[in-house]
Amino acid sequence: MTFRPCAIVPSYNHHANLPNVIAGLRAIGLSVLVVDDGSAEPARAAIAANHDPENGVRVHRLSTNQGKGAAVVAGFRLAWDQGFTHALQADADGQHDIGAASRLIDLARARPEALVSGKPIYDDTAPKSRTIGRWMTHVWVWVETLSLRITDSMCGFRVYPLRAALDVVEREPVGTRMDFDTDIMVRMAWRGVPVIMTPVAVAYPKDNLSNFDLWRDNWRITKMHTRLVFTMIARMRSVIRNRQAGDPQTGTSHWAELQERGASWGLSFLAGVYRLFGRSACAFAMQPIILYFFLTGHRQRRWAAAYWRRVLGAEGSEPVVGWGRLFRHFRAFGDMALDKFAVWMGDITVSDLVLSDEPEIDRLVAEKRGIVVIASHLGNIEVSRALSRHKHGVEINILTHTRNAFRFNRLITRINPDAAVRVVEVADLSPSHAIDLQSRLEKGEWIVITGDRVPLSGNFRTSRIPFFGDPAPFPHGPIILASLLKCPVYTMQCLKDGRKYRVTFEKLFESVTLSRGNRIGDIDACLSVYVARLQHHCQAYPYQWFNFYDFWQEDAAP
């Protein structure tokens, strides 16, 4: 079918900026259909004055106000009857950068099967209440579509493929007022219609008339999200089947390649909610996010289940793992994220810590003795490293395999400028870094490196050490580092125990020496000691081990 687009401009009492909107659309050759949604005088006459069929502008009036959605749908039907295949929806109040219309049309021409939508870029005129409300809708839409691809569902500047749009409105209960834009977009995504987002500047014109009814429209939107969530659950199988292809996590099982989906915006958003409204509000806002990751993370669920089968088997229990246990595990991960914010914002204090060997820590601090700490992804090491400065004044150096830690550290620095610690990327560890770390040890600083994740680079060697009955890969790096730095080696976990945080602090070795003739054997022996302590603590706090990837590399097995 030939690509033949037009523009639909719904208007209810908006007329001041309407001529400019029409002119911008006509400048790129679009026929314009203005739908007057029962406007009152003098807007009615001003809107009608734009009717000029000979120059590609038609005005169609609804006798009574039926809502923005009803006006757009009326425009759909008229446009389809006139032979148009696509319709660009644009608001009449001039909020959107009408100059971006040509970019939306070009994207729709290249992908005629897709719904092309603007992603608003706001200036300083945007009301804060609107932006916060939009964020909440964004989160619900991510849950409803089981996808992060719709980055803004409320933008009324988009290009619809008319056949697909009409099929939805004729068959499904799409909202007819301010709930329309989100409702139809979600339902089209459910049917497998691709969604393409493109940035569009949005401004709120001075003396702009808003048709948004704070109470009625927010209530409509709340009811809409409730309907969509329950409908999504009922249609789960088809919604998952029709999700867009191109998920960046498809086909990978290495933890470093499993991108932290939405990590940047997610951390910033949650930090903002925490700062403004506190922990309870932040915990509430996290629930749909956790549900989204749980429902869409089928591989993460499968790998978590593999962990639980081993844990339960070691306890002598029946290794049957249900979704209830797995969801509790995911929620524990969300609770751990909240604790990260809480500690840096001062809501978790030294009095909340229970130290297993405080005299040993005090001795190391008094002697200014630097150590290597082999940590893990069990519990929340963030709590102990944050409070170490307040209680012991210890400087911490974190060695990490990826740059994800840098993003979190930058965020924490914005929240609390005194909170930052030094982060060193292991992939960049050079002889100069090793010399620098040695000098830091001599000052009494601690070097922390995790021992339960295998680096992505093939330059790092691993050994398969029994962990819950089956061999799993553990990196040589922490043991080799300890041998080079010639210092005591400890392991530490910070485990949530009710309302307290139990910090285990255990010496593994006074020092590590690797013999030339049996270097790998010595490394394996050291790793076995570390892994045995890790398994011991995992059995005591199984819900606090956060390695949601193919840890035992079952997928890689022949």
Side-chain angles (χ1 to χ4, degrees), residues 180-316:
F180 170 79
D181 289 330
T182 295
D183 206 349
I184 190 173
M185 195 173 204
V186 169
R187 293 176 185 274
M188 290 180 74
W190 283 350
R191 289 167 170 249
V193 174
V195 176
I196 298 173
M197 309 295 301
T198 185
V200 172
V202 175
Y204 283 75
K206 188 177 181 180
D207 300 325
N208 181 52
L209 172 68
S210 174
N211 291 326
F212 190 89
D213 186 300
L214 182 63
W215 299 110
R216 291 182 179 178
D217 284 318
N218 275 323
W219 177 237
R220 287 190 186 99
I221 290 171
T222 299
K223 290 191 295 183
M224 172 200 68
H225 284 305
T226 303
R227 287 195 306 271
L228 290 175
V229 167
F230 282 104
T231 304
M232 178 272 294
I233 294 173
R235 298 183 185 179
M236 178 76 69
R237 190 168 295 179
S238 65
V239 171
I240 292 175
R241 185 175 63 248
N242 289 328
R243 278 198 310 158
Q244 291 187 51
D247 187 333
Q249 295 197 42
T250 299
T252 181
S253 62
H254 192 284
W255 69 268
E257 293 175 321
L258 295 175
Q259 298 177 13
E260 296 183 33
R261 294 176 285 175
S264 297
W265 63 259
L267 286 172
S268 298
F269 169 64
L270 291 173
V273 173
Y274 196 109
R275 294 184 72 179
L276 289 172
F277 305 110
R279 183 187 178 103
S280 296
C282 191
F284 179 78
M286 283 186 70
Q287 297 314 303
I289 300 175
I290 295 170
L291 179 61
Y292 160 76
F293 283 113
F294 180 74
L295 293 175
T296 61
H298 61 280
R299 289 177 302 150
Q300 284 77 11
R301 290 197 310 270
R302 174 161 57 86
W303 294 327
Y307 161 74
W308 275 104
R309 284 193 297 271
R310 290 174 168 88
V311 171
L312 295 174
E315 294 175 352

Side-chain angles (χ1 to χ4, degrees), residues 464 552-558:
R464 297 188 69 84
W552 281 267
Q553 294 189 354
E554 293 177 319
D555 290 352

Side-chain angles (χ1 to χ4, degrees), residues 60-171:
H60 175 78
R61 176 173 169 80
L62 303 180
S63 58
T64 59
N65 176 250
Q66 300 177 33
K68 175 185 179 180
V72 173
V73 171
F76 285 170
R77 294 190 175 112
L78 290 168
W80 184 255
D81 290 343
Q82 294 173 26
F84 293 104
T85 62
H86 290 72
L88 184 146
Q89 173 191 335
D91 289 351
D93 57 6
Q95 286 187 15
H96 304 123
D97 175 16
I98 207 67
S102 59
R103 185 168 73 252
L104 270 68
I105 292 295
D106 289 342
L107 289 170
R109 182 179 288 107
R111 293 284 303 277
E113 78 283 8
L115 169 58
V116 179
S117 177
K119 175 185 177 182
I121 306 298
Y122 293 102
D123 63 11
D124 295 336
T125 63
K128 294 298 182 185
S129 60
R130 288 286 186 90
T131 56
I132 293 174
R134 294 179 83 94
W135 265 110
M136 297 306 294
T137 283
H138 299 344
V139 172
W140 281 113
V141 167
W142 295 327
V143 172
E144 292 152 6
T145 59
L146 304 181
S147 170
L148 292 174
R149 296 203 176 267
I150 298 177
T151 52
D152 192 300
S153 67
M154 302 181 74
C155 181
F157 194 41
R158 55 180 64 164
V159 180
Y160 290 95
L162 282 173
R163 176 177 289 176
L166 283 168
D167 191 53
V168 170
V169 299
E170 296 291 348
R171 297 172 182 267

